[in-house]
């Protein structure tokens, strides 16, 4: 079945970097784009952007430029989110979500299980 | 940016009752709206796409309606496992993709 499995929780100090992975299985990885979504503690969902898994071209939402980088390793069907110069306010659960296309419309399905990134000194 | 406003923020109902959740868009999104369910400690799950289509494996008690700016998610008879947070999402005019702030459905 179609599945996205993310890497485990991370505890980082302010100023450090973190790389979250999202491994896809059950479908052709390069046929569907990948989205990234952030959920701060007790808060709602915030779309961070997406990456074209065919071309590797990323698109970042406002507020997620500069310190956030989306990348791919298509040989292992994996998408990555790297965050540099971490701040306390980056503490959140980060989700990857496949761009599922139906009749030329795009939806998020399925989602990875989420990766908790905690930034604390 | 299209803003989605969900109401109510919290809905308290009993199992067996009917739940009606609302999502209003700041401008027309046609039918380009989805609903997601999120249970505590879990990832969101796609319930409804294109305003009224149930995703694979979603029970028939879940239904979506609406177009333009006003949308409704209805759960016809609540089961214990339906108590969760529900988010609407638009993808009509993007980027950015936007989500509503969520409706918490709690047991009364």
């Amino acid at each position: 079945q179609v599945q996205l499995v993310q890497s485990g929780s991370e505890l980082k100090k302010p100023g450090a970097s973190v790389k979250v992975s999202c491994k896809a299985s059950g479908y052709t990885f390069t046929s569907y784009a990948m989205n990234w979504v952030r959920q701060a503690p007790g808060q709602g969902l915030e779309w961070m952007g997406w990456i074209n898994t065919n071309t590797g071209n990323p698109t970042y939402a406002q507020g997620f430029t500069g310190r956030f980088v989306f990348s791919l390793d298509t040989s292992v069907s994996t998408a990555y989110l790297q965050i540099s110069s971490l701040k306390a306010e980056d503490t959140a659960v980060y989700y990857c979500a496949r761009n599922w296309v139906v009749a030329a419309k795009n939806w998020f399905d399925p989602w990875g299980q989420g990766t908790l990134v905690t930034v604390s000194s | 940016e299209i803003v989605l406003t969900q109401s109510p923020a919290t809905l308290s109902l009993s199992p067996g009752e009917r739940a009606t959740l609302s999502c209003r868009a700041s401008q027309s999104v046609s039918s380009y709206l989805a609903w997601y369910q999120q249970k505590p400690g879990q990832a969101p799950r796609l319930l409804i796409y294109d305003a009224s289509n149930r995703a694979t494996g979603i029970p028939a008690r879940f239904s979506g309606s609406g177009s333009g700016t006003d949308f409704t998610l209805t759960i016809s008879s609540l089961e214990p496992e339906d108590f969760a947070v529900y988010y609407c999402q638009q993808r009509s005019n993007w980027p950015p993709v936007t989500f509503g702030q969520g409706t918490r459905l709690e047991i009364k």
Side-chain angles (χ1 to χ4, degrees):
Chain A
Q1 76 280 20
V2 176
Q3 194 173 10
L4 302 176
V5 177
Q6 297 184 226
S7 50
S9 297
E10 301 269 9
L11 174 59
K12 296 291 184 180
K13 294 189 184 301
S17 294
V18 69
K19 194 170 187 176
V20 175
S21 67
C22 170
K23 183 171 176 60
S25 61
Y27 71 98
T28 302
F29 181 68
T30 51
S31 294
Y32 300 85
M34 193 69 75
N35 296 275
W36 289 95
V37 176
R38 182 173 75 178
Q39 187 169 39
Q43 302 301 307
L45 303 170
E46 185 176 20
W47 181 68
M48 301 173 64
W50 67 289
I51 184 166
N52 184 320
T53 54
N54 199 35
T55 65
N57 184 47
T59 298
Y60 300 98
Q62 206 167 8
F64 294 100
T65 55
R67 298 189 299 116
F68 300 83
V69 176
F70 305 149
S71 61
L72 306 169
D73 184 343
T74 57
S75 69
V76 290
S77 300
T78 300
Y80 299 95
L81 163 66
Q82 183 160 0
I83 312 171
S84 58
S85 302
L86 283 163
K87 308 174 183 180
E89 52 263 42
D90 294 323
T91 295
V93 176
Y94 293 86
Y95 294 101
C96 58
R98 188 185 70 161
N99 212 47
W100 178 56
V101 181
V102 178
K105 291 182 176 177
N106 302 268
W107 314 102
F108 291 5
D109 185 59
W111 296 56
Q113 84 277 17
T115 296
L116 173 62
V117 175
T118 303
V119 184
S120 175
S121 55
Chain B
E1 173 177 325
I2 294 178
V3 176
L4 300 178
T5 303
Q6 294 188 238
S7 61
T10 303
L11 184 58
S12 299
L13 294 170
S14 301
E17 290 193 291
R18 182 183 186 90
T20 302
L21 288 67
S22 174
C23 176
R24 176 164 289 177
S26 59
Q27 62 189 79
S28 177
V29 299
S30 184
S31 64
Y32 216 148
L33 188 110
W35 291 93
Y36 298 86
Q37 177 194 63
Q38 187 178 33
K39 297 180 181 179
Q42 296 185 18
R45 175 175 70 147
L46 178 66
L47 291 179
I48 301 287
Y49 65 93
D50 210 16
S52 61
N53 295 287
R54 276 191 303 277
T56 302
I58 302 303
R61 64 181 181 273
F62 291 91
S63 63
S65 62
S67 66
T69 61
D70 290 297
F71 299 87
T72 300
L73 174 68
T74 301
I75 310 172
S76 58
S77 179
L78 285 165
E79 297 288 341
E81 61 267 28
D82 298 337
F83 292 91
V85 179
Y86 292 84
Y87 294 95
C88 57
Q89 176 214 36
Q90 71 80 26
R91 201 156 178 176
S92 171
N93 185 4
W94 72 288
V97 174
T98 53
F99 293 89
Q101 82 280 15
T103 289
R104 180 178 305 276
L105 178 56
E106 63 177 27
I107 299 176
K108 188 173 181 180

